[in-house]
Amino acid sequence: MYQVQSCIEAVPSALVIFFSVAFFATIDYLLKRVSQNPNSLVYYLLFSQLVVEPSKTCVEINGNHPLTTDLDLQTTNSNGHMARPNKSDSSKNNKNNKIWKMQNIFLSEIHSIVSGPLAFVCVYLRPAMLEDVVSTCTPLALRLICFSLGYFVHDSIHMLRRKVSTETIELLFHHFIIFITYGLAVVQRTYVAFAVVSLFMEVNSIFLHARQLANLRRANRSSIVYRFLCAANVGTLVTFRGITTAWMVRWIWSNWRLLPLPVALLGASGLVVISVMNIVLLARLVKADYFTNISNSQKAKAS
């Protein structure tokens, strides 16, 4: 174990960040290549269900099944009047958007699978991280923060290359806070344990992204697997996100007078943003996965 820690410590933090960005960029490039090869197995598993009808333009809301509106079929011609676009072009653009979203969520899933469990490994190897979140720092924990920082850098670039939407702005603001907090932890070697604890939330992201991938592939919402994903998603959101956020808020509140004012304000503002996002996310998930299903079943019985 000592030799492993020595090897990890020998890797510079900047190199880990660079490797992380390069790793996710490589996966993104491979996914783009696969999306252009319909005969491959990976294409069948990820992209085969993303084909949409050429006569419709679909809009996906909160990871649910696509909705089609007549307004989405309209565009402006050279005379400034509303005109209907070429059906094949709209279908192609919509499929490209879905492929991009599939790639983005798949990369997020990889990050969650790696960072969430590793955060618990870091705390298991050094339990003192939960007692002293300011100065406790291990080589593995520091490199994990660097790996996550590299992912958020790549994800920000990946989103900025597409059309900026309201959802994108929300995520970019979240990433901006991550850049500051994780960046300070890496540079100053302080609050590394606090950053590692925040990665406990990535356990919920594993199920959250899996649900999004299932919806993009138009999975059967009444299947046992999908229902398990919905239940696990809500359950881990309450536990790994809710309890983790509450623990972090309690720590900030208890140590407010002992913290430097910039650190206290940064931590408090970041936790406020995360708390609001968690509450909104929980409300959207419960409404989409439970109340919508109840409403649909009642309508089916009435008909």
Side-chain angles (χ1 to χ4, degrees):
M1 181 63 66
Y2 176 77
Q3 294 179 348
V4 174
Q5 292 182 353
S6 299
C7 293
I8 295 176
E9 191 173 3
V11 181
S13 301
L15 183 61
V16 176
I17 298 175
F18 175 79
F19 166 80
S20 179
V21 175
F23 170 77
F24 286 104
T26 302
I27 299 297
D28 184 35
Y29 171 77
L30 293 177
L31 289 174
K32 289 180 181 178
R33 294 295 300 269
V34 169
S35 66
Q36 300 171 359
N37 183 14
N39 297 323
S40 66
L41 176 62
V42 179
Y43 180 92
Y44 173 78
L45 294 175
L46 292 178
F47 306 110
S48 61
Q49 301 298 322
L50 300 183
V51 179
V52 297
E53 298 178 11
S55 59
K56 296 181 179 180
T57 299
C58 299
V59 179
E60 187 170 291
I61 301 179
N62 297 333
N64 297 324
H65 289 294
L67 302 177
T68 304
T69 61
D70 293 335
L71 183 61
D72 298 316
L73 297 175
Q74 297 179 347
T75 186
T76 305
N77 58 20
S78 58
N79 297 323
H81 301 292
M82 298 304 294
R84 290 182 177 272
N86 184 282
K87 294 180 179 179
S88 60
D89 291 342
S90 62
S91 176
K92 181 178 179 180
N93 291 335
N94 186 65
K95 182 183 178 182
N96 290 336
N97 290 335
K98 283 181 170 289
I99 288 177
W100 175 87
K101 190 168 185 177
M102 176 71 79
Q103 294 170 345
N104 184 268
I105 296 174
F106 190 82
L107 294 174
S108 300
E109 179 78 331
I110 294 176
H111 170 256
S112 300
I113 292 175
V114 174
S115 60
L118 270 182
F120 281 93
V121 171
C122 291
V123 174
Y124 174 78
L125 295 177
R126 185 68 68 85
M129 298 185 76
L130 295 178
E131 300 174 1
D132 182 7
V133 299
V134 178
S135 60
T136 304
C137 177
T138 65
L140 178 60
L142 182 62
R143 272 65 183 182
L144 175 60
I145 299 304
C146 292
F147 175 80
S148 293
L149 190 58
Y151 159 75
F152 287 115
V153 169
H154 177 269
D155 192 52
S156 299
I157 297 174
H158 197 247
M159 288 189 293
L160 288 172
R161 291 171 58 187
R162 304 292 295 185
K163 183 179 179 180
V164 179
S165 61
T166 303
E167 181 183 2
T168 303
I169 294 175
E170 294 175 359
L171 291 174
L172 287 175
F173 183 67
H174 168 268
H175 289 9
F176 175 73
I177 295 177
I178 294 295
F179 292 151
I180 298 177
T181 54
Y182 284 18
L184 289 176
V186 171
V187 173
Q188 298 182 354
R189 301 295 196 273
T190 56
Y191 302 98
V192 173
F194 196 76
V196 169
V197 171
S198 70
L199 289 175
F200 288 177
M201 303 182 196
E202 292 299 322
V203 174
N204 166 250
S205 297
I206 296 175
F207 299 99
L208 176 65
H209 299 321
R211 173 190 173 277
Q212 291 177 313
L213 292 173
N215 278 324
L216 279 175
R217 298 195 77 255
R218 303 191 181 191
N220 183 5
R221 295 171 67 89
S222 61
S223 65
I224 296 178
V225 175
Y226 187 85
R227 289 181 178 180
F228 168 78
L229 279 179
C230 293
N233 192 18
V234 173
T236 55
L237 193 151
V238 173
T239 53
F240 290 97
R241 282 189 181 272
I243 295 178
T244 299
T245 303
W247 185 91
M248 296 172 71
V249 169
R250 186 194 65 82
W251 188 90
I252 290 286
W253 179 264
S254 301
N255 298 275
W256 181 266
R257 296 182 178 181
L258 302 177
L259 298 174
L261 184 59
V263 174
L265 293 176
L266 178 62
S269 59
L271 288 174
V272 168
V273 172
I274 293 175
S275 299
V276 172
M277 293 180 66
N278 289 342
I279 294 173
V280 173
L281 179 60
L282 178 61
R284 289 177 177 176
L285 289 172
V286 172
K287 179 181 178 180
D289 293 334
Y290 294 99
F291 287 96
T292 302
N293 290 340
I294 294 175
S295 177
N296 291 338
S297 61
Q298 290 177 348
K299 290 180 180 179
K301 290 181 181 179
S303 62

